[in-house]
């Protein structure tokens, strides 16, 4: 039988195209427009080609922010993933306590970002904050507004507090899907606790862990609100991450051209790293299946 | 290896069981001979798996003791009992190779590497997997995975018993036959006590020397396939074993005669007064259509199932199945059915009553 060729079906895709165009493509194109033009307001644009990109690629300021950003993401991943797994392993599996744990774990995830920032901003203050004041009373010299290390610790602890739940809940879901006979077989085979984790739990959690790592990487790489509320990027530039720097550049200094070039590169970096993560992890999977 | 004794054993999944129906396993006393091949047979939810898990130590019984040989292992962990168990659905360690999967129980016991390699090779040969030993277990079919599970169950030579919990459910029919034969062979070769849970009577009867039939949390009969067929101790055994199951009729028994609504049949033994609901049971294989001898029968239909014909009929208002072997005549003028007196069993409240010689 001959196939009927009818290209009219493409019209059915049109509504989606229109929605996506207005919500994503056109706004992105304005950014592209800014990145290759210079403007002095009044909607007058002067073509500058790739100048802004060159400026940004060689800018020390951007390099430093990128370095801080990578360090930040690396640290919180290194803490939140193992900690999340550990918590998930130790949560009760069923009954009242399991429900209670789930609710408690979900609480930090429900708090708006700027509220999290405000909570920690006050919590850490030496004069009125519970944490800051207690540390000071214990004789520990802690001040996140002066000391870059203290500022980093505060921002990282805050992120761990806010987001470890996500990793833990995902892992918990992964653990719950493991059928009882696996554990029973391990008992029969006299597997140690470590072997149960290494050969049963970890392999079964791999899928959700991939999602958790990806989500936490993307989120932490784009982090803005919480550190901005707590430290404002300071002291100095010590906690100025990429997003904070970008906003300073675009809204503070009104350097729209460089900021546009910056954000396009920023977007591409996140896209690239996420793609690398995903490809590496799915390839690992395929190799194991062989 | 050891004889397994269950003493006053009962189990309930509730914290404070009271009524009889709270118990998944009703109180039982049984001895499982060392080196025996047992099949645990019963319909779903009758407590088979519960009993198995109690023997292997995955569950602690609510009451009673479990003895291996002379030592009480009721409170011992699974590891100490040194038991192998194969589950209904394949359990393999996905990230390990087939070889590591098979070697896992031995490595956990700290066996010598040379011995492990040799033993794994031997088991692999048995389950026909020598050529894929280096493959990861993850991508294999359910069949292959279950064979690995079976292999892991048999890899330890010194186990007290090997327990199988419906292990062939996911296996292809032709493969089932082959694996069952292999298990049987292994049993002869190594003499491990084997307990095989199933709800498939063919599987049970071909595998085991002794079949244990469970019903509603009780072991209702423990016997050879022959005993289960000829003298079912409980109407459930009569109904569950055989295809179709035993015919049962409500009757009044007096001496060596049973009365069914106006008709009567001769029994192979004499019985004293019987209390409770009285039934007589006759296997379809032992009922014969006749031209005038025996009870009047109404034939409803005849099914040809290949090797024999199955006659669906009615006697005294109650359904009756008759198996007519090849060559036996079935015709329209056969209006009566006769039962072989020696083959009739009498039941009171579902339990078999032993008669005295007539």
């Amino acid at each position: 039988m001959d196939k009927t060729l009818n290209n009219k079906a493409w019209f059915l895709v049109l509504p989606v195209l229109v929605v996506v165009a207005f919500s994503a493509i056109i706004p992105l194109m304005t950014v592209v427009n800014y990145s290759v033009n210079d403007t002095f307001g009044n909607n007058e644009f002067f073509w500058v080609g790739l100048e802004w990109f060159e400026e940004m690629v060689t800018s020390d300021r951007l390099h430093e922010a990128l370095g801080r950003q990578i360090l930040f993401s690396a640290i919180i991943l290194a803490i939140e993933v193992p900690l999340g797994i550990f918590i998930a392993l130790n949560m009760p599996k069923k009954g009242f306590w399991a429900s209670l744990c789930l609710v408690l774990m979900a609480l930090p995830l429900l708090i708006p970002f700027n509220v999290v920032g405000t909570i920690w901003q006050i919590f850490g203050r030496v004069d009125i904050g519970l944490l800051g004041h207690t540390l000071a009373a214990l004789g520990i010299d802690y001040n996140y507004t002066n000391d870059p290390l203290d500022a980093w610790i505060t921002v990282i602890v805050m992120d761990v507090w806010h987001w470890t739940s996500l990793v833990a809940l995902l892992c918990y879901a992964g653990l719950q899907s493991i059928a009882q006979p696996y554990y029973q077989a391990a008992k029969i085979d006299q597997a140690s606790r470590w072997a149960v984790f290494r050969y049963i739990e970890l392999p079964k959690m791999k899928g959700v862990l991939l999602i958790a790592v990806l989500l936490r990487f993307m989120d932490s790489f784009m982090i803005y609100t919480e550190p901005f509320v707590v430290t404002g990027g300071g002291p100095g530039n010590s906690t100025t991450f990429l997003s904070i720097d970008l906003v300073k550049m675009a809204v503070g200094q009104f350097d729209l051209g460089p900021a546009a070039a910056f954000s396009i590169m920023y977007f591409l970096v996140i896209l690239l790293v996420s793609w690398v993560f995903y490809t590496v992890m799915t390839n690992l999977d395929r190799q194991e299946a062989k | 290896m050891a004889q397994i004794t269950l003493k006053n054993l009962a189990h309930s999944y509730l914290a404070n069981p009271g009524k009889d129906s709270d118990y998944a396993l009703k109180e039982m006393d049984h001895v499982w001979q060392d080196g025996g091949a047992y099949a645990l047979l019963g319909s779903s939810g009758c407590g088979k798996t519960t009993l198995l898990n109690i023997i292997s130590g995955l569950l602690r019984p609510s009451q009673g003791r479990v003895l291996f040989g002379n030592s009480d292992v009721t409170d011992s962990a699974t590891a100490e009992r040194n038991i192998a168990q194969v589950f209904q659905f394949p359990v393999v360690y996905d990230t390990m190779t087939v070889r590591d999967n098979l070697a896992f129980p031995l490595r956990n016991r700290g066996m010598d590497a040379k011995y492990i390699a040799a033993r794994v090779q031997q088991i692999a040969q048995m389950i026909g997997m020598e050529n894929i030993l280096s493959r990861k277990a993850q991508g294999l079919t359910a069949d292959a995975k279950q064979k690995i599970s079976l292999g892991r169950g048999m890899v330890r030579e010194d186990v007290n018993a090997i327990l199988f919990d419906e292990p062939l459910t996911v296996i292809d029919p032709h493969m089932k036959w082959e694996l069952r034969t292999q298990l049987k062979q292994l049993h002869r070769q190594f003499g491990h006590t084997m307990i095989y849970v199933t709800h498939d009577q063919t599987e049970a009867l071909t595998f085991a020397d002794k079949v244990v039939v469970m019903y509603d949390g009780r072991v209702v009969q423990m016997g050879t396939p022959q005993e289960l067929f000829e003298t079912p101790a409980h109407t459930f055994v009569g109904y569950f074993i055989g295809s179709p199951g035993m015919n049962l009729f409500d009757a009044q028994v007096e001496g060596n005669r049973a009365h069914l609504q106006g008709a009567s049949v001769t029994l192979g033994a004499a019985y004293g007064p019987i209390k409770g609901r009285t039934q007589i049971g006759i296997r379809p294989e032992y009922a014969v259509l006749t031209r005038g001898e025996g009870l009047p029968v109404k034939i409803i239909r005849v099914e040809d199932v290949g090797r024999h014909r199955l006659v669906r009929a009615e006697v005294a208002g109650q359904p009756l199945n008759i198996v007519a072997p090849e060559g036996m005549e079935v015709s329209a003028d056969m209006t009566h059915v006769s039962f072989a007196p020696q083959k009739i069993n009498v039941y009171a409240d579902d339990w078999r009553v032993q008669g005295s010689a007539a």
Side-chain angles (χ1 to χ4, degrees), chain B residues 276-343:
Chain B
R277 183 186 181 194
T278 312
Q279 285 172 299
I280 61 168
I282 179 85
R283 290 273 176 204
E285 287 80 358
Y286 299 131
V288 183
L289 282 174
T290 65
R291 289 200 160 80
E293 187 192 330
L295 305 168
V297 68
K298 189 174 130 201
I299 295 177
I300 294 165
R301 62 175 192 275
V302 179
E303 292 165 21
D304 196 328
V305 288
R307 272 178 308 140
H308 58 254
R309 272 162 302 170
L310 191 55
V311 181
R312 308 278 189 190
E314 220 171 67
V315 162
Q318 299 177 65
L320 165 80
N321 295 315
I322 302 167
V323 168
E326 220 170 355
M328 182 180 275
E329 201 189 345
V330 176
S331 66
D333 59 340
M334 297 180 120
T335 52
H336 288 71
V337 62
S338 80
F339 302 150
Q342 297 300 332
K343 306 296 185 186

Side-chain angles (χ1 to χ4, degrees), chain A residues 28 70 72 77 123 144-145 167 169 238 263 274:
Chain A
L28 191 67
I70 291 171
F72 176 76
L77 279 179
F123 190 45
Y144 68 82
T145 53
V167 182
L169 290 178
S238 61
S263 39
S274 301

Side-chain angles (χ1 to χ4, degrees), chain B residues 127-301:
Chain B
I127 55 174
M129 296 192 127
E130 310 114 287
N131 46 355
I132 54 165
L133 273 178
S134 305
R135 260 186 70 164
K136 284 265 193 272
Q138 193 167 38
L140 299 172
T141 59
D143 273 23
K145 284 185 180 176
Q146 189 63 335
K147 282 205 271 177
I148 297 175
S149 302
L150 281 168
R152 242 189 18 251
M154 289 173 308
V155 75
R156 285 182 281 151
E157 281 176 292
D158 62 337
V159 287
N160 280 319
I162 308 180
L163 314 180
F164 302 94
D165 192 352
E166 306 191 25
L168 303 182
T169 313
V170 294
I171 307 254
D172 272 356
H174 73 281
M175 204 56 210
K176 256 186 199 178
W177 194 262
E178 198 183 309
L179 281 175
R180 206 158 53 219
T181 316
Q182 272 178 5
L183 285 183
K184 189 89 185 147
Q185 230 165 25
L186 282 173
H187 178 251
R188 282 202 206 97
Q189 203 176 339
F190 297 108
H192 286 130
T193 309
M194 288 188 174
I195 302 176
Y196 189 105
V197 167
T198 177
H199 58 244
D200 177 345
Q201 53 164 316
T202 326
E203 219 166 270
L205 298 176
T206 51
F207 172 81
D209 312 328
K210 277 220 169 156
V211 178
V212 181
V213 183
M214 287 189 71
Y215 174 64
D216 192 23
R218 266 192 193 87
V219 170
V220 286
Q221 191 168 9
M222 198 169 188
T224 61
Q226 178 76 17
E227 284 167 353
L228 296 186
F229 189 79
E230 299 285 351
T231 52
H234 188 274
T235 52
F236 175 78
V237 180
Y239 149 82
F240 202 70
I241 306 275
S243 170
M246 184 181 255
N247 298 300
L248 288 164
F249 303 102
D250 285 313
Q252 287 87 46
V253 173
E254 257 179 90
N256 68 345
R257 294 202 70 78
H259 305 283
L260 300 90
Q261 297 188 346
S264 86
V265 290
T266 313
L267 304 173
Y271 297 85
I274 293 173
K275 268 192 222 134
R277 183 186 181 194
T278 312
Q279 285 172 299
I280 61 168
I282 179 85
R283 290 273 176 204
E285 287 80 358
Y286 299 131
V288 183
L289 282 174
T290 65
R291 289 200 160 80
E293 187 192 330
L295 305 168
V297 68
K298 189 174 130 201
I299 295 177
I300 294 165
R301 62 175 192 275

